[in-house]
Short mmCIF file of all heavy atoms in Angstrom, two decimals:
data_model
loop_
_atom_site.label_atom_id
_atom_site.label_comp_id
_atom_site.label_asym_id
_atom_site.label_seq_id
_atom_site.Cartn_x
_atom_site.Cartn_y
_atom_site.Cartn_z
N VAL Z 271 -17.54 31.17 10.07
CA VAL Z 271 -16.97 30.81 11.37
C VAL Z 271 -17.51 31.75 12.44
O VAL Z 271 -17.91 31.31 13.53
CB VAL Z 271 -15.42 30.86 11.33
CG1 VAL Z 271 -14.83 30.82 12.73
CG2 VAL Z 271 -14.87 29.72 10.49
N ARG Z 272 -17.55 33.05 12.15
CA ARG Z 272 -18.07 34.02 13.10
C ARG Z 272 -19.54 33.73 13.43
O ARG Z 272 -19.95 33.72 14.59
CB ARG Z 272 -17.91 35.45 12.56
CG ARG Z 272 -18.18 36.50 13.62
CD ARG Z 272 -18.08 37.92 13.09
NE ARG Z 272 -19.25 38.23 12.26
CZ ARG Z 272 -19.24 38.38 10.94
NH1 ARG Z 272 -18.13 38.26 10.27
NH2 ARG Z 272 -20.35 38.65 10.27
N LEU Z 273 -20.34 33.44 12.40
CA LEU Z 273 -21.75 33.13 12.60
C LEU Z 273 -21.92 31.86 13.43
O LEU Z 273 -22.76 31.80 14.34
CB LEU Z 273 -22.46 32.98 11.25
CG LEU Z 273 -23.95 32.71 11.28
CD1 LEU Z 273 -24.69 33.84 11.97
CD2 LEU Z 273 -24.47 32.51 9.87
N LEU Z 274 -21.11 30.85 13.13
CA LEU Z 274 -21.17 29.61 13.88
C LEU Z 274 -20.81 29.84 15.35
O LEU Z 274 -21.47 29.31 16.25
CB LEU Z 274 -20.23 28.57 13.27
CG LEU Z 274 -20.19 27.20 13.92
CD1 LEU Z 274 -21.57 26.55 13.90
CD2 LEU Z 274 -19.17 26.31 13.23
N GLU Z 275 -19.79 30.66 15.60
CA GLU Z 275 -19.42 30.96 16.98
C GLU Z 275 -20.55 31.67 17.71
O GLU Z 275 -20.82 31.39 18.89
CB GLU Z 275 -18.15 31.82 17.00
CG GLU Z 275 -16.90 31.05 16.63
CD GLU Z 275 -15.68 31.95 16.47
OE1 GLU Z 275 -15.83 33.20 16.38
OE2 GLU Z 275 -14.57 31.40 16.42
N GLU Z 276 -21.22 32.60 17.02
CA GLU Z 276 -22.35 33.30 17.63
C GLU Z 276 -23.47 32.32 17.97
O GLU Z 276 -24.07 32.39 19.05
CB GLU Z 276 -22.87 34.39 16.69
CG GLU Z 276 -21.94 35.58 16.53
CD GLU Z 276 -22.38 36.54 15.43
OE1 GLU Z 276 -23.45 36.35 14.83
OE2 GLU Z 276 -21.62 37.50 15.17
N LYS Z 277 -23.78 31.43 17.06
CA LYS Z 277 -24.84 30.45 17.29
C LYS Z 277 -24.48 29.50 18.42
O LYS Z 277 -25.35 29.13 19.23
CB LYS Z 277 -25.14 29.65 16.01
CG LYS Z 277 -25.72 30.48 14.89
CD LYS Z 277 -27.07 31.04 15.27
CE LYS Z 277 -27.66 31.86 14.15
NZ LYS Z 277 -28.89 32.52 14.54
N MET Z 278 -23.21 29.11 18.50
CA MET Z 278 -22.78 28.23 19.58
C MET Z 278 -22.89 28.93 20.93
O MET Z 278 -23.29 28.33 21.93
CB MET Z 278 -21.35 27.74 19.33
CG MET Z 278 -21.26 26.73 18.20
SD MET Z 278 -19.57 26.24 17.80
CE MET Z 278 -19.04 25.49 19.31
N THR Z 279 -22.57 30.23 20.96
CA THR Z 279 -22.70 31.00 22.19
C THR Z 279 -24.16 31.08 22.62
O THR Z 279 -24.48 30.91 23.80
CB THR Z 279 -22.11 32.42 21.99
OG1 THR Z 279 -20.72 32.30 21.64
CG2 THR Z 279 -22.25 33.25 23.26
N GLU Z 280 -25.04 31.32 21.64
CA GLU Z 280 -26.49 31.36 21.94
C GLU Z 280 -26.96 30.01 22.48
O GLU Z 280 -27.73 29.95 23.44
CB GLU Z 280 -27.28 31.72 20.69
CG GLU Z 280 -27.17 33.17 20.26
CD GLU Z 280 -27.91 33.46 18.98
OE1 GLU Z 280 -28.86 32.72 18.63
OE2 GLU Z 280 -27.54 34.44 18.31
N LEU Z 281 -26.50 28.94 21.86
CA LEU Z 281 -26.90 27.60 22.29
C LEU Z 281 -26.39 27.32 23.70
O LEU Z 281 -27.13 26.75 24.53
CB LEU Z 281 -26.36 26.55 21.30
CG LEU Z 281 -26.71 25.11 21.59
CD1 LEU Z 281 -28.22 24.91 21.62
CD2 LEU Z 281 -26.08 24.19 20.55
N GLU Z 282 -25.18 27.73 24.00
CA GLU Z 282 -24.65 27.53 25.35
C GLU Z 282 -25.49 28.27 26.38
O GLU Z 282 -25.76 27.76 27.48
CB GLU Z 282 -23.19 28.02 25.43
CG GLU Z 282 -22.20 27.10 24.77
CD GLU Z 282 -20.78 27.67 24.79
OE1 GLU Z 282 -20.57 28.79 25.31
OE2 GLU Z 282 -19.88 26.99 24.25
N LYS Z 283 -25.93 29.49 26.02
CA LYS Z 283 -26.77 30.27 26.93
C LYS Z 283 -28.11 29.57 27.16
O LYS Z 283 -28.61 29.53 28.27
CB LYS Z 283 -27.00 31.67 26.38
CG LYS Z 283 -25.78 32.55 26.46
CD LYS Z 283 -26.03 33.93 25.87
CE LYS Z 283 -24.81 34.80 25.95
NZ LYS Z 283 -25.03 36.13 25.34
N VAL Z 284 -28.68 29.02 26.08
CA VAL Z 284 -29.95 28.30 26.20
C VAL Z 284 -29.77 27.08 27.10
O VAL Z 284 -30.58 26.81 27.98
CB VAL Z 284 -30.48 27.89 24.81
CG1 VAL Z 284 -31.63 26.90 24.93
CG2 VAL Z 284 -30.93 29.12 24.01
N LEU Z 285 -28.71 26.35 26.87
CA LEU Z 285 -28.47 25.12 27.64
C LEU Z 285 -28.17 25.40 29.11
O LEU Z 285 -28.47 24.59 29.98
CB LEU Z 285 -27.33 24.32 27.01
CG LEU Z 285 -27.63 23.72 25.64
CD1 LEU Z 285 -26.39 23.06 25.05
CD2 LEU Z 285 -28.78 22.72 25.71
N THR Z 286 -27.57 26.55 29.38
CA THR Z 286 -27.26 26.87 30.79
C THR Z 286 -28.34 27.73 31.42
O THR Z 286 -28.21 28.14 32.58
CB THR Z 286 -25.90 27.60 30.90
OG1 THR Z 286 -25.96 28.81 30.12
CG2 THR Z 286 -24.77 26.73 30.45
N GLY Z 287 -29.42 28.02 30.67
CA GLY Z 287 -30.55 28.77 31.21
C GLY Z 287 -30.29 30.25 31.32
O GLY Z 287 -30.97 30.93 32.09
#
Side-chain angles (χ1 to χ4, degrees):
V271 167
R272 192 183 74 251
L273 182 61
L274 181 60
E275 288 172 345
E276 290 171 4
K277 294 296 181 186
M278 288 176 63
T279 300
E280 287 177 24
L281 181 59
E282 286 176 0
K283 288 179 180 178
V284 168
L285 292 174
T286 59

